[in-house]
């Protein structure tokens, strides 16, 4: 089996996409306060819905 010297992305299905280099993935930095922000947003959304149903 002859292979090219260029590294190819074997997971790509289309022949043109196989010739492209694999995508570069950079590690994403996750801030520690993201969970707290989601909790506060969910809490106030629930509180608003509950408050509008009561009154």
């Amino acid at each position: 089996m002859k292979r090219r010297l260029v590294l190819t992305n074997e997971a790509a299905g289309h022949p043109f996409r196989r010739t492209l280099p694999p995508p570069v993935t950079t590690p994403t930095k996750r801030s520690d306060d993201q969970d707290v922000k989601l909790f506060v947003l969910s809490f106030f959304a629930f509180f608003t819905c509950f408050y509008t149903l009561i009154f």
Side-chain angles (χ1 to χ4, degrees), residues 26-39:
T26 56
T28 57
K29 293 183 179 179
R30 184 175 175 188
S31 61
D32 292 336
D33 64 340
Q34 190 172 10
D35 292 334
V36 175
K37 289 179 183 177
L38 180 62
F39 173 76

Side-chain angles (χ1 to χ4, degrees), residues 3-39:
R3 296 191 68 128
R4 296 184 212 165
L5 294 177
V6 179
L7 295 175
T8 60
N9 187 359
E10 300 294 332
H14 194 271
F16 176 72
R17 293 188 71 191
R18 286 186 186 155
T19 61
L20 298 174
V24 178
T25 57
T26 56
T28 57
K29 293 183 179 179
R30 184 175 175 188
S31 61
D32 292 336
D33 64 340
Q34 190 172 10
D35 292 334
V36 175
K37 289 179 183 177
L38 180 62
F39 173 76

